[in-house]
Amino acid sequence: MASTGVGLRIQGDDNLQSMLVGSVMRKIKSRTWKKQRYFKLQDDCMTIWYKSKKAGNTHSTFSVSDVEAIRDGHQSEVLLSLADEFPADRCFTLVFRGRRGNLDLVAESAEEAQSWIRGMRTLIETQENMGEREKLDQWIGDWFRKADKNNDGRMNFKEVQDLLKMMNVDMNEHHAHHLFTMADKSQSGSLEDDEFVLFYKMLTQREDVLRVFQEYSVDGQKLSQSDLQDFLREEQLDRMDIQQQAKQLIERYEPSDTAKLLTAMTFDGFLMYLGSAEGSIFNPQWRGVFQDMSQPLCHYFISSSHNTYLMEDQLRGQSSVEGYIRALSRGCRCVEVDCWDGANGEPIVYHGHTFTSKILFKDVVTAVGNYAFKVSEYPVILSMENHCSVEQQRVMAQHLDHILGDKLLKSTLEGKASVRLPSPEDLKWKILLKAKKIGGLEESFNGAGEDSQTGEVSDEDEVAEINEDHLHRESVCRRVKKSKQRLSKELSDCVVYCKSVHFSNFKQARIHSKFYEVASFTESKARKHLREAGTEFVHHNSRQLTRVYPSGFRTDSSNFNPQEMWNAGCQIGKFALNFQTAGEGMDLNDALFGLNGGCGYVLKPSFMREGEKRFDPEVPQQRDGYQPVVLTIQVISGQQLPKVNIKEGSIVDPLVRVEIHGVPMDQAKQETRYIENNGFNPVWYDTLRFTLQRPDLAMVRFVVEDHDKTTRNDFLGQFTLPLHCMQQGYRHIHLLSRDGTRIPPSSLFVHIRISELG
């Protein structure tokens, strides 16, 4: 039951044919762990199977859809460390989605490596271009193979019963046998390929969608073009050329050629449309870069990472250049480098005064140079915490200059003085250093300080800020530094538009601060400013960049909720999120930066960019153009929700929680009832209503959980999006896992209405 599209491509593809035969390759975990494994593409063309060469050992598998990218050559730390043993043309790395570690492989020959690299890229591209029907066929095939325990290509009733439990279906034996008998057209007592597809279709009959279809179908059998236009206008609230859109939807999603000739849509076509990207809750037109990218940097929220080098926790975690590669590959535009003196005159990067491992500064710069612009052409900010001696600072400056070359911005644009920050458009393909600087930009133009090779800057680093907030936490505290730090001119000259400065108060900043100065705040300090001077904070952020970072006492690298910092217009960084940590903070981060082409820059609302207009997130109704809205969500049903408890016979009791993240007055959450023993096709028809004071700052998070009467509910899936990206009407929500990856075909079916409060 291989996917038809993939099957057709395999016949003429030598790489895929070779993968089906299989190869012996070395799986590399470290300089000492290098073991041979037999790798093979399964017949479904969507699964890679591998096992040890030793007889009797268990095998492992992973899905092609789990692989995000293939890197050829020495593009991982482990393979780079073995460059003298294995040539680059035999090496490649599979990068998995989410938090799963990479798989480093060494083939027996360069030809075999290329065959796997090209074959995997073909499979990934094919899967990404699959239509909804092909994806569904693939998913049905996966279930068939899981349930066909004796691998005879057919399923008896016992296997079907086991399958229902695997699929989260609690169905009485009589009804299950009735469906089985109806699907068994050959009356053989077992289901083969097509019969199983029929069984699945009966199992997944969508009464909820059929009800909507029949409401708009004049004859109950099909939607004429006129019927479909009524549906699009009245329910989906589409504003474009309805007639043209109806024709296009029929052409795109209607499987019946007969219906197409009649310019009509059958129920199957209607279901395909509602399950597609056009029928989803997220408006596809916000996926590409659509915003004005010519405004000053401070007018954008900037996707940023804190302690980018850490793959785990902040006390004992593994430092790795992979952290930078992963963050940049997710569109992150501001990464952090914590620099200390290293052996042999080479600066190192690690979380100082902790047990985290150390990596070379030059390796970090190389990774940033290689991956900065793979997914976005807009500028990357290298946020540096500098704890190095003057001698090693000079080495750092040399590495930045030699490795990054023209990518590193070392002078103002066109060599001219300016009165405001340049735009992302102006700074395309450039890497900016954010660090301390001797003097200011103005001195670059009047020749001041040219003779001095070093200078002094105040040494208020993050440690001081954190200690100030947490003097009682002595276990991790360090001494607050009040001294001056010597700074090399070479490193200082690498800083142009992002000079790190200490923040005193808003009054002083308003009078004395320069547009190129960047202040950093701990989350608690930022909250204090927001609470006591919200309007001033928003105004400050309309003129210059601000960075907020999590408390050093989140030693597990957990994230704080970035929404409250967005409410103040803080740009860097989401708010300096730990990209290695899944959860609510990362969900909000992915939701905001998933729009505008995932380029890492999202334009702030106009009232946060205009210096003369004052906005206080604590009192959002006190401003011009105030118009609250009512968001009404009817949660109708769920489809094939994931199973979290692998215990045999366990079936989920799902509920849906909708959370609003926005200004304090808008923060809210409501839940549906839970449905007992049905994770396959639960039906709610529960309506939730929210009043939003500041809809342009609101994020909506849908969370599905398995209700538990005695302990905490188990997480099943989530989807988060900005309110202004929501499509109204009947929509599917395609759920994501805890680490933000798709879990097809798990979804919710909802009806959305957004109306002005009268």
Side-chain angles (χ1 to χ4, degrees):
M1 201 180 271
S3 170
T4 311
V6 179
L8 291 173
R9 295 195 66 167
I10 283 175
Q11 294 168 14
D13 193 310
D14 292 341
N15 298 316
L16 297 182
Q17 291 286 1
S18 172
M19 289 170 68
L20 284 165
V21 173
S23 307
V24 173
M25 294 187 280
R26 285 184 187 274
K27 179 182 176 183
I28 312 290
K29 286 189 177 180
S30 67
R31 285 187 66 86
T32 54
W33 200 101
K34 301 167 281 193
K35 299 192 177 177
Q36 287 191 320
R37 295 287 183 265
Y38 180 61
F39 287 83
K40 182 179 183 298
L41 175 65
Q42 298 286 73
D43 291 339
D44 65 354
C45 301
M46 285 295 143
T47 310
I48 305 295
W49 175 98
Y50 65 97
K51 68 172 291 185
S52 166
K53 288 184 71 182
K54 294 176 185 174
N57 279 23
T58 57
H59 70 270
S60 301
T61 62
F62 61 85
S63 172
V64 171
S65 62
D66 294 338
V67 181
E68 188 168 44
I70 296 95
R71 300 185 199 142
D72 49 0
H74 299 140
Q75 291 201 63
S76 77
E77 282 170 285
V78 173
L79 291 177
L80 200 56
S81 71
L82 293 166
D84 54 343
E85 186 176 346
F86 300 115
D89 59 5
R90 287 171 50 199
C91 300
F92 63 99
T93 302
L94 300 185
V95 181
F96 291 93
R97 299 179 191 280
R99 302 180 69 198
R100 180 173 175 174
N102 297 343
L103 178 60
D104 290 313
L105 298 171
V106 180
E108 295 290 303
S109 68
E111 293 73 27
E112 195 165 49
Q114 279 305 307
S115 188
W116 274 85
I117 291 165
R118 286 194 291 260
M120 284 296 295
R121 284 175 178 160
T122 297
L123 290 172
I124 290 169
E125 183 186 353
T126 301
Q127 187 154 78
E128 285 174 349
N129 293 328
M130 267 187 190
E132 296 302 317
R133 174 161 291 226
E134 285 180 300
K135 286 178 186 172
L136 188 59
D137 286 347
Q138 180 200 330
W139 193 78
I140 295 171
D142 286 345
W143 277 118
F144 186 91
R145 280 181 291 277
K146 283 178 191 172
D148 184 15
K149 294 287 173 59
N150 57 9
N151 295 312
D152 63 353
R154 57 182 66 223
M155 281 203 315
N156 58 39
F157 183 60
K158 173 67 171 67
E159 288 174 324
V160 166
Q161 285 181 298
D162 292 342
L163 170 70
L164 292 175
K165 286 177 182 170
M166 279 194 278
M167 295 174 94
N168 252 330
V169 181
D170 183 23
M171 184 180 289
N172 70 58
E173 187 173 337
H174 176 74
H175 185 52
H177 196 268
H178 173 65
L179 292 181
F180 181 89
T181 305
M182 286 176 66
D184 182 16
K185 298 292 185 187
S186 62
Q187 298 182 350
S188 62
S190 62
L191 304 182
E192 297 183 38
D193 279 17
D194 291 343
E195 291 173 332
F196 178 70
V197 171
L198 179 60
F199 174 79
Y200 175 84
K201 282 189 171 179
M202 287 191 287
L203 194 65
T204 56
Q205 180 64 39
R206 292 290 301 274
E207 297 294 338
D208 51 347
V209 177
L210 187 61
R211 184 191 295 189
V212 180
F213 178 82
Q214 290 179 336
E215 186 182 335
Y216 281 88
S217 170
V218 171
D219 62 6
Q221 301 299 311
K222 66 181 182 304
L223 291 175
S224 66
Q225 184 179 325
S226 175
D227 295 341
L228 184 55
Q229 287 171 198
D230 289 344
F231 172 76
L232 294 173
R233 186 184 303 107
E234 294 169 23
E235 293 295 350
Q236 310 299 73
L237 301 186
D238 285 338
R239 298 283 179 259
M240 56 185 76
D241 182 344
I242 296 289
Q243 189 174 357
Q244 183 63 24
Q245 191 192 4
K247 282 182 181 176
Q248 287 174 350
L249 291 178
I250 290 168
E251 190 58 40
R252 202 169 292 146
Y253 299 110
E254 178 49 55
S256 164
D257 290 335
T258 306
K260 278 184 182 177
L261 287 172
L262 297 170
T263 326
M265 184 176 267
T266 62
F267 177 68
D268 280 349
F270 188 62
L271 195 54
M272 294 289 280
Y273 152 62
L274 286 176
S276 72
E278 287 177 281
S280 79
I281 194 169
F282 190 99
N283 192 331
Q285 73 183 65
W286 304 133
R287 287 277 180 213
V289 176
F290 66 93
Q291 293 182 325
D292 175 10
M293 302 302 288
S294 63
Q295 301 209 24
L297 280 182
C298 55
H299 286 183
Y300 298 84
F301 295 122
I302 304 173
S303 178
S304 310
S305 167
H306 179 61
N307 290 350
T308 317
Y309 45 87
L310 289 183
M311 296 298 284
E312 299 166 37
D313 72 55
Q314 298 190 48
L315 290 182
R316 294 177 177 80
Q318 181 74 22
S319 301
S320 168
V321 296
E322 185 62 35
Y324 292 91
I325 295 170
R326 290 203 169 203
L328 292 166
S329 298
R330 291 181 72 165
C332 178
R333 297 290 86 189
C334 179
V335 294
E336 184 177 82
V337 192
D338 206 347
C339 306
W340 300 79
D341 280 356
N344 306 315
E346 280 293 344
I348 54 174
V349 173
Y350 82 112
H351 201 38
H353 304 298
T354 64
F355 298 105
T356 58
S357 59
K358 302 167 176 66
I359 48 180
L360 291 176
F361 174 75
K362 64 181 179 182
D363 290 345
V364 170
V365 177
T366 300
V368 171
N370 288 339
Y371 287 89
F373 305 112
K374 292 276 188 185
V375 300
S376 172
E377 60 196 1
Y378 294 105
V380 166
I381 299 170
L382 209 54
S383 179
M384 182 186 290
E385 284 295 320
N386 172 18
H387 309 277
C388 292
S389 63
V390 170
E391 293 72 29
Q392 293 211 8
Q393 288 176 36
R394 291 192 178 113
V395 175
M396 288 161 64
Q398 287 170 10
H399 287 327
L400 287 166
D401 204 26
H402 295 158
I403 296 170
L404 299 181
D406 290 342
K407 291 177 188 171
L408 180 67
L409 188 78
K410 291 195 68 176
S411 62
T412 56
L413 296 178
E414 300 173 353
K416 296 175 185 174
S418 179
V419 294
R420 70 174 205 168
L421 286 169
S423 69
E425 188 67 33
D426 295 331
L427 294 167
K428 271 184 180 177
W429 314 110
K430 290 295 181 184
I431 296 172
L432 284 66
L433 183 65
K434 183 192 88 66
K436 292 163 188 166
K437 182 177 178 67
I438 304 165
L441 267 190
E442 299 78 11
E443 285 145 55
S444 310
F445 297 99
N446 60 26
E450 287 296 314
D451 298 331
S452 174
Q453 292 306 300
T454 61
E456 284 191 343
V457 292
S458 60
D459 192 15
E460 298 100 350
D461 59 10
E462 288 186 5
V463 181
E465 287 277 0
I466 293 169
N467 276 332
E468 209 173 301
D469 288 340
H470 302 278
L471 284 171
H472 60 286
R473 296 288 293 274
E474 292 179 9
S475 59
V476 194
C477 274
R478 293 171 255 149
R479 187 169 47 84
V480 180
K481 299 180 182 178
K482 297 291 185 185
S483 61
K484 294 283 185 179
Q485 181 188 19
R486 300 291 295 173
L487 193 61
S488 84
K489 182 175 184 300
E490 294 90 338
L491 188 59
S492 173
D493 286 348
C494 293
V495 179
V496 183
Y497 291 118
C498 298
K499 177 186 176 180
S500 296
V501 297
H502 178 68
F503 180 84
S504 296
N505 56 66
F506 289 118
K507 184 178 179 182
Q508 187 201 48
R510 197 165 58 248
I511 299 168
H512 299 292
S513 69
K514 306 291 195 297
F515 68 89
Y516 53 82
E517 293 177 340
V518 185
S520 292
F521 303 91
T522 58
E523 53 185 289
S524 55
K525 271 287 182 66
R527 279 198 195 98
K528 184 171 181 288
H529 289 312
L530 188 55
R531 203 168 47 245
E532 296 175 359
T535 305
E536 288 284 355
F537 206 175
V538 174
H539 183 251
H540 176 84
N541 290 328
S542 71
R543 294 180 292 114
Q544 52 198 105
L545 292 170
T546 292
R547 170 176 170 268
V548 180
Y549 53 93
S551 162
F553 298 94
R554 291 175 183 274
T555 51
D556 61 351
S557 285
S558 61
N559 290 313
F560 63 96
N561 186 322
Q563 182 68 49
E564 56 190 333
M565 299 306 147
W566 292 332
N567 293 341
C570 299
Q571 306 89 349
I572 303 173
K574 252 315 205 207
F575 282 86
L577 277 168
N578 296 307
F579 260 69
Q580 68 274 24
T581 307
E584 180 186 274
M586 234 17 258
D587 294 343
L588 292 167
N589 179 81
D590 289 347
L592 183 68
F593 291 107
L595 66 150
N596 206 31
C599 74
Y601 287 85
V602 173
L603 193 63
K604 294 194 279 190
S606 60
F607 58 84
M608 289 186 148
R609 310 192 306 262
E610 298 160 0
E612 68 278 2
K613 291 188 178 177
R614 296 304 177 97
F615 168 70
D616 185 346
E618 298 288 328
V619 200
Q621 63 272 46
Q622 290 182 6
R623 63 172 305 275
D624 296 339
Y626 167 68
Q627 178 55 68
V629 301
V630 176
L631 169 64
T632 306
I633 300 170
Q634 185 182 44
V635 181
I636 299 171
S637 64
Q639 292 75 46
Q640 289 104 83
L641 302 176
K643 189 170 181 174
V644 286
N645 192 333
I646 56 172
K647 203 162 53 180
E648 192 174 344
S650 169
I651 294 171
V652 302
D653 304 328
L655 63 82
V656 179
R657 183 174 66 254
V658 178
E659 304 170 354
I660 305 296
H661 298 267
V663 296
M665 283 184 72
D666 290 345
Q667 302 279 3
K669 56 181 71 172
Q670 294 180 37
E671 289 181 355
T672 65
R673 300 163 290 137
Y674 69 89
I675 304 295
E676 248 181 279
N677 288 336
N678 188 352
F680 188 72
N681 54 0
V683 176
W684 289 278
Y685 282 103
D686 284 359
T687 300
L688 314 176
R689 285 189 181 83
F690 302 90
T691 300
L692 306 179
Q693 309 296 325
R694 193 67 273 167
D696 34 13
L697 283 174
M699 306 283 282
V700 186
R701 184 169 183 252
F702 295 84
V703 186
V704 187
E705 292 181 340
D706 179 14
H707 174 74
D708 196 308
K709 294 183 178 72
T710 55
T711 61
R712 278 183 65 179
N713 293 347
D714 285 322
F715 173 92
L716 297 179
Q718 67 84 25
F719 189 80
T720 310
L721 76 166
L723 179 76
H724 63 83
C725 294
M726 259 191 194
Q727 298 200 96
Q728 298 192 61
Y730 287 101
R731 303 292 174 183
H732 276 98
I733 299 171
H734 301 284
L735 296 173
L736 304 176
S737 66
R738 192 178 291 280
D739 61 16
T741 54
R742 283 280 302 270
I743 39 177
S746 298
S747 65
L748 297 175
F749 187 49
V750 298
H751 185 270
I752 304 290
R753 271 293 173 268
I754 302 169
S755 54
E756 291 187 354
L757 188 63

